[in-house]
Amino acid sequence: MNKEDVIICRCEDVTLKQLHDCFEEGYTTFEEVKRILRIGMGPCQANTCSLLVQKEIAQFTKQPLNKVDTHVIRPLITGVPLGSLAKEAKDES
Amino acid sequence: MKADIVIIGGGISGVSIAYNLAKQGMKNIVVFDDNYMTGGATGRCGAGVRQQWGTKMNCLMAKKSIEFFEQAQEELNYHRDIEFKQKGYLIVAVTQEEEQKFKENITLQNALGIPSRFLTQDEALDIVPHLNKDAFLSATYCPTDGHLNPFLMTDAYYHAAKKLGVTFHYYEKVIDIVVENQQIKEVITDKRRVKTHKVVNAAGGYAKEVGELAGVDIPVYSENHQILVTEPIEPMQDPMVISFAHNIYCQQVPHGAFIMGRSPNNPQHNHDMSSSWQFLEEMAKTATTLLPALADLRVIRQWGGSYNCSPDRQPIISESNLPGFYLACGFSGHGFMFAPMTGLLLSEIILNKPTTIDIKDLHVNRFENMEKTEYETSVV
Ligand SMILES: Cc1cc2nc3c(=O)[nH]c(=O)nc-3n(C[C@H](O)[C@H](O)[C@H](O)COP(=O)(O)OP(=O)(O)OC[C@H]3O[C@@H](n4cnc5c(N)ncnc54)[C@H](O)[C@@H]3O)c2cc1C
């Protein structure tokens, strides 16, 4: 398996190689690799990559999977256009 | 364990101070941060850098910091791209009073060598065609203002400081500072005790609490500010657009996403870092009023962070009344863009060198005589 060809975060085009390089630099939590590589910051908000990254971290740090934190879930659950939000807000007031 | 100096806080201020001290030859520098790197305000900020300020001190801090950002990639020899973009800041005037004040600001900025200029409405529309012309009168613009990636900028300083021998401990909280007869003796963390006589308080939103650990009262408070990001799209907006009257800052970052924020309506003094639907609604209304073309853009994430504010909205960069206890806090929502100067100036103070610019106006003692200080009004 060529690590440069394996995409781990589809939204931000992050490869497995980039993730492993980040681990080697000492960044071994989801919060850290997210900020260095933008993993999980794209439109899917880590819904796709979170478990994959968790597994990679567990393997690298030799911890059981349930000891590895995944991403912080922030609003919104799915992308919503600014115009729709503004319209709803105006209709209410 | 012993240290020549302990820095509390490894956000952009802490890493810049550490780097500048090490670069000037100081040894045995230890940084503690109770979170992951950029877990404080630094990782939550809009990361805009601008020189269009209303007080001389803020103008100078920003100008010299931007000079650093322009060559930071090389100086820090960083292996990733810090994503520095200089596509300007465009600040719109909505009222006659704002226009008048902005013209005065331009005079001040130009006198200090900042290349900002006044724009008529048509000139502003040439630069940002999707501005709603019914929502503003005129604008000011500075082409060398911009944006850079806050995570990678912090990481760049961190790597450079580490190469110079600085020791970093993230996920380690300072819980006490032992002071005897007005002298610092020890810093106690949740993992160890460190003998030292010098401490830097660069604790961001918790600067007041860290001051209290040493018995030093600092007149700062924290305030929740929120921000959101959209999906990335093709480049369509060069400068950061700001309006104080509409209460918005909004920019497209090099990666393609739009980032925008505004101040809370009733700010409370606390450590709340949550995000709210009220913000989302107000932000969406404001953004689509001033920049209607953004209505189709999807919001994908929103979050909150703390502004650590000082009474005059200017930073506090000085030694405190406790000898050896140094302060870098109270950035009032613009500490990211000032960080290069924060690090340089505080390191000069710590090493007893003359400071690159005169910063007595940033001394914590200025608040003992408040009439003397200028109040920065150009803030969102
Ligand atoms: C929504 C938002 C938007 C912003 N936009 C901009 C902008 O566009 N441009 C700009 O220039 N600025 C902006 N700012 C302001 C900027 O983020 C801050 O001024 C800057 O990041 C402050 O950096 P710092 O290193 O001083 O503090 P922080 O980044 O908060 O770092 C302080 C660190 O100290 C740690 N700490 C605290 N107490 C302890 C303890 N007891 N022991 C160990 N560690 C401790 C914290 O965990 C934290 O990591 C914005 C802020 C927010 C919230």
Side-chain angles (χ1 to χ4, degrees):
Chain A
M1 179 177 75
N2 185 348
K3 284 192 204 174
E4 279 172 43
D5 294 337
V6 179
I7 301 288
I8 199 107
C9 167
R10 294 192 305 204
C11 297
E12 298 293 338
D13 274 345
V14 181
T15 65
L16 187 59
K17 166 103 171 48
Q18 285 173 295
L19 181 62
H20 284 184
D21 287 350
C22 227
F23 292 165
E24 296 294 343
E25 271 181 47
Y27 299 114
T28 57
T29 64
F30 196 98
E31 296 303 336
E32 290 165 331
V33 296
K34 169 180 167 186
R35 283 165 180 79
I36 300 285
L37 297 175
R38 268 199 189 92
I39 277 192
M41 283 193 178
C44 96
Q45 289 294 295
N47 283 325
T48 318
C49 63
S50 186
L51 296 177
L52 298 173
V53 174
Q54 187 190 31
K55 192 180 124 246
E56 292 299 323
I57 293 175
Q59 262 171 15
F60 184 85
T61 57
K62 302 195 172 57
Q63 294 179 80
L65 207 57
N66 62 5
K67 291 276 181 274
V68 176
D69 288 334
T70 56
H71 66 295
V72 175
I73 296 173
R74 296 195 193 282
L76 287 37
I77 296 298
T78 187
V80 182
L82 278 165
S84 312
L85 292 163
K87 182 171 175 301
E88 287 300 317
K90 278 180 194 147
D91 288 352
E92 271 167 30
S93 53
Chain B
M1 185 174 160
K2 273 190 188 162
D4 287 356
I5 192 160
V6 167
I7 299 173
I8 305 175
I12 192 73
S13 304
V15 293
S16 170
I17 296 162
Y19 168 74
N20 277 283
L21 283 172
K23 187 181 156 194
Q24 291 172 80
M26 191 166 187
K27 300 272 178 271
N28 213 350
I29 303 164
V30 180
V31 183
F32 291 111
D33 191 298
D34 58 0
N35 211 327
Y36 52 85
M37 185 192 296
T38 73
T42 302
R44 298 165 184 277
C45 79
V49 298
R50 67 159 148 139
Q51 302 153 91
Q52 299 180 73
W53 289 100
T55 67
K56 185 179 168 195
M57 237 28 254
N58 279 348
C59 285
L60 283 176
M61 292 284 291
K63 176 172 186 277
K64 294 203 170 287
S65 291
I66 287 197
E67 286 163 12
F68 175 84
F69 289 134
E70 284 169 346
Q71 43 87 46
Q73 191 80 46
E74 293 78 49
E75 168 162 346
L76 301 178
N77 195 11
Y78 186 50
H79 57 292
R80 290 190 184 87
D81 180 2
I82 57 171
E83 298 169 14
F84 187 36
K85 134 181 166 177
Q86 276 176 298
K87 295 269 178 77
Y89 258 57
L90 190 142
I91 307 183
V92 300
V94 176
T95 61
Q96 299 290 346
E97 296 79 61
E98 268 196 331
E99 191 176 275
Q100 189 48 40
K101 173 72 181 131
F102 289 0
K103 284 184 174 163
E104 288 164 24
N105 288 353
I106 294 264
T107 307
L108 169 74
Q109 291 154 10
N110 291 171
L112 298 170
I114 295 168
S116 54
R117 59 178 197 266
F118 183 78
L119 299 181
T120 62
Q121 191 186 63
D122 283 342
E123 288 167 335
L125 287 164
D126 283 342
I127 297 175
V128 183
H130 54 280
L131 272 167
N132 174 3
K133 58 180 185 340
D134 298 329
F136 76 107
L137 294 178
S138 59
T140 66
Y141 175 69
C142 177
T144 52
D145 292 349
H147 173 91
L148 65 165
N149 183 314
F151 313 115
L152 300 182
M153 189 61 230
T154 309
D155 192 48
Y157 267 126
Y158 164 81
H159 275 275
K162 245 167 91 160
K163 267 185 222 144
L164 293 170
V166 176
T167 314
F168 289 89
H169 298 280
Y170 282 91
Y171 304 104
E172 185 162 341
K173 182 174 179 157
V174 171
I175 52 173
D176 208 0
I177 299 169
V178 181
V179 179
E180 283 167 19
N181 303 324
Q182 283 288 92
Q183 197 192 32
I184 299 173
K185 295 282 179 195
E186 221 176 359
V187 168
I188 304 175
T189 75
D190 49 9
K191 295 191 181 130
R192 75 193 85 207
R193 306 175 76 102
V194 187
K195 290 206 181 343
T196 188
H197 297 308
K198 290 194 169 85
V199 170
V200 175
N201 177 355
Y206 286 86
K208 189 171 185 65
E209 286 79 0
V210 165
E212 282 162 7
L213 295 180
V216 174
D217 183 37
I218 312 166
V220 290
Y221 55 89
S222 292
E223 211 173 80
N224 174 280
H225 280 247
Q226 299 182 44
I227 180 164
L228 63 77
V229 64
T230 71
E231 60 195 333
I233 56 164
E234 291 296 314
M236 64 171 278
Q237 181 179 313
D238 280 341
M240 166 83 98
V241 171
I242 299 198
S243 166
F244 305 119
H246 288 291
N247 189 3
I248 179 176
Y249 60 87
C250 170
Q251 101 160 191
Q252 185 174 26
V253 302
H255 155 266
F258 275 78
I259 287 186
M260 59 188 81
R262 71 201 302 282
S263 288
N265 295 334
N266 299 305
Q268 310 287 315
H269 296 186
N270 58 34
H271 294 295
D272 178 17
M273 290 205 283
S274 61
S275 56
S276 68
W277 58 265
Q278 289 93 335
F279 162 79
L280 188 62
E281 287 194 351
E282 292 301 319
M283 192 74 249
K285 283 196 281 187
T286 315
T288 53
T289 302
L290 187 62
L291 301 156
L294 304 190
D296 291 336
L297 265 184
R298 277 169 219 281
V299 178
I300 59 169
R301 184 171 70 249
Q302 63 171 123
W303 66 95
S306 285
Y307 273 24
N308 186 247
C309 297
S310 78
D312 64 0
R313 308 282 187 109
Q314 298 194 87
I316 298 173
I317 299 175
S318 69
E319 193 169 6
S320 66
N321 296 335
L322 173 66
F325 192 66
Y326 301 92
L327 311 177
C329 58
F331 293 103
S332 312
H334 34 272
F336 179 70
M337 67 182 84
F338 290 164
M341 283 306 278
T342 301
L344 178 65
L345 294 167
L346 198 65
S347 65
E348 289 167 344
I349 294 172
I350 292 167
L351 299 170
N352 280 319
K353 294 184 177 176
T355 52
T356 301
I357 57 172
D358 178 8
I359 53 160
K360 64 174 185 322
D361 288 349
L362 300 185
H363 201 287
V364 66
N365 290 349
R366 69 185 185 269
F367 302 113
E368 289 164 14
N369 189 359
M370 265 304 277
E371 311 94 272
K372 265 191 178 168
T373 55
E374 288 179 276
Y375 185 84
E376 177 62 68
T377 51
S378 298
V379 282
V380 180

